[in-house]
């Protein structure tokens, strides 16, 4: 009887371990929306099931910092902009990029045309809304490269800590605000503003674009072969979800909407967002392009006396998982 009980307990424990090996908690960078469509599509279409994975998608929000969630063990993998992740790594949180679904940046500044702004030099003496909590790094690096101070004055810009909305522009509290091509810019238009009243500056066009929405894990976990194998399956299924979403944007938007528990999203807005997001993931199979990575690092290092990172990171990304997932 004792041997039978021991065998049963071992079987139970092994079953629990096996289940845990297939559990994945993904921390999103923001709330449920088409910015993350690939993951919701992979879940809805059974791509994760086909890989034997039980994936929990954790929405983000203004009070949720993905690096903190990852560090605290609340997630296995997080989505994060590379500037934020590399800054966190330099400060002691050993995060590693394992996949990069977003090939291009959707970040831009949207300005009132009647302010007379036509070029970056015209930012001098203006008030610009900037997101913080790690999202400020690309802007600060850009201004440093342009030689424009960020402490106000006629020759510098006054930085307004922008909430995650477009109110500062609509209320004329700022001359320009931070927007994403797939989100806030559309919100400005929805408020009744004509595109002819605006001028935009895409970071991608300015040569200061940095990588966004990469998949990051803790370095120590990559020492576990079981974790690496699980992440390989996760990346493979997630990229299948992304490619399906690109090919079927309206269906993907509806799937996202079905997963929005807040009821705050609308179908038309999500469809518009998905069409824009598809342009950013196009051309990516999930593998990080080393040239894109180096461009991001160079941009972050080019911060003059106040760079985002003080030295080029080592070990901040790996191709091991995408190499296995894509072959």
């Amino acid at each position: 009887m004792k041997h039978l009980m021991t065998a049963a307990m071992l079987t139970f424990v092994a079953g629990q371990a096996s289940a845990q090996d297939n559990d994945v908690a993904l921390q999103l960078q923001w709330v449920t929306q088409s910015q993350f469509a690939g993951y919701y599509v992979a879940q809805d279409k059974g791509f994760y099931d086909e890989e034997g994975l039980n994936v929990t998608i954790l929405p983000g929000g203004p009070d949720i910092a993905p690096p903190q969630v990852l560090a605290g063990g609340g997630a296995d993998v997080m989505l994060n902009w590379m500037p934020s992740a590399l800054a966190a790594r330099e400060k002691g949180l050993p995060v590693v990029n394992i996949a990069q679904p977003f090939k291009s940046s959707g970040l831009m500044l949207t300005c009132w045309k009647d302010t007379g702004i036509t070029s970056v030099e015209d930012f001098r003496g203006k008030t610009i809304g900037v997101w913080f909590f790690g999202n400020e790094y690309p802007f600060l690096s850009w201004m440093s490269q342009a030689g424009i101070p960020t402490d106000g004055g006629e020759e510098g810009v006054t930085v307004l800590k922008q909430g995650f909305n477009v109110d500062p522009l609509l209320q004329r509290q700022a001359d320009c605000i931070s927007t994403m091509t797939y989100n806030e810019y559309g919100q400005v238009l929805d408020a009744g503003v004509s595109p002819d009243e605006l001028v935009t500056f895409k970071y991608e066009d300015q040569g200061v674009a940095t990588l966004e929405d990469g998949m990051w894990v803790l370095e120590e976990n990559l020492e576990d072969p079981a974790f690496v194998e699980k992440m390989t399956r996760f990346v493979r299924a997630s990229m299948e979800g992304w490619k399906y979403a690109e090919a079927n944007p309206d269906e993907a938007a509806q799937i996202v909407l079905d997963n929005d528990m807040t009821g705050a999203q609308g179908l038309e807005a999500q469809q518009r967002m998905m069409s824009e997001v598809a342009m950013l993931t196009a051309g990516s199979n999930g593998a990080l392009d080393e040239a894109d990575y180096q461009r991001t690092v160079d941009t972050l290092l080019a911060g003059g006396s106040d760079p985002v990172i003080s030295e080029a990171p080592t070990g901040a990304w790996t191709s091991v998982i995408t190499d296995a997932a894509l072959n």
Side-chain angles (χ1 to χ4, degrees), residues 51 227-237 320-321 324-325:
E51 293 287 352
F227 181 82
V228 170
E229 193 272 338
K230 180 168 65 173
M231 286 297 102
T232 298
R233 289 183 283 145
F234 175 73
V235 168
R236 183 163 51 229
V320 169
I321 287 172

Side-chain angles (χ1 to χ4, degrees), residues 111-129:
C111 311
W112 286 114
K113 185 178 291 186
D114 62 16
T115 60
I117 294 174
T118 60
S119 70
V120 176
E121 276 299 305
D122 296 327
F123 290 164
R124 297 181 188 274
K126 301 297 193 294
T127 298
I128 298 181

Side-chain angles (χ1 to χ4, degrees), residues 45-265:
K45 290 295 178 182
F47 300 153
Y48 290 136
D49 290 338
E50 290 170 7
E51 293 287 352
L53 296 173
N54 175 36
V55 176
T56 300
I57 301 176
L58 305 170
D63 299 322
I64 297 174
Q68 292 179 10
V69 175
L70 192 69
D76 299 291
V77 55
M78 71 168 179
L79 303 182
N80 209 220
W81 286 8
M82 188 167 283
S84 172
L86 293 184
R89 182 178 175 87
E90 184 164 278
K91 292 173 183 175
L93 180 63
V95 294
V96 178
N97 180 295
I98 60 169
Q100 187 62 45
F102 277 55
K103 175 73 174 174
S104 304
S105 167
L107 183 62
M108 64 182 184
L109 289 182
T110 296
C111 311
W112 286 114
K113 185 178 291 186
D114 62 16
T115 60
I117 294 174
T118 60
S119 70
V120 176
E121 276 299 305
D122 296 327
F123 290 164
R124 297 181 188 274
K126 301 297 193 294
T127 298
I128 298 181
V130 179
W131 293 317
F132 276 70
F133 303 104
N135 301 314
E136 72 273 24
Y137 297 131
F139 173 78
L140 296 177
S141 179
W142 179 15
M143 291 301 99
S144 178
Q145 290 185 56
I148 300 177
T150 56
D151 54 0
E154 291 185 3
E155 291 302 309
V157 298
T158 298
V159 175
L160 172 69
K161 287 191 176 182
Q162 180 184 336
F164 293 96
N165 56 57
V166 299
D167 292 347
L169 190 75
L170 300 178
Q171 297 172 5
R172 294 281 182 165
Q173 297 169 345
D175 302 294
C176 308
I177 60 169
S178 299
T179 60
M180 302 303 292
T181 57
Y182 52 78
N183 194 359
E184 289 79 14
Y185 181 73
Q187 293 178 23
V188 174
L189 300 184
D190 288 343
V193 178
S194 166
D196 294 337
E197 299 177 80
L198 304 169
V199 59
T200 60
F201 297 85
K202 293 183 179 180
Y203 282 56
E204 196 78 44
D205 296 340
Q206 299 297 320
V208 291
T210 54
L211 289 171
E212 299 164 0
D213 287 56
M215 300 185 206
W216 299 79
V217 301
L218 292 177
E219 188 170 0
E220 62 189 42
N221 290 337
L222 293 173
E223 299 172 5
D224 179 3
F227 181 82
V228 170
E229 193 272 338
K230 180 168 65 173
M231 286 297 102
T232 298
R233 289 183 283 145
F234 175 73
V235 168
R236 183 163 51 229
S238 296
M239 289 313 302
E240 189 175 358
W242 271 119
K243 294 308 147 182
Y244 187 97
E246 285 178 23
N248 304 275
D250 287 348
E251 182 183 356
Q254 183 62 60
I255 289 172
V256 169
L257 199 63
D258 291 342
N259 282 276
D260 173 33
M261 299 298 101
T262 68
Q265 310 291 4

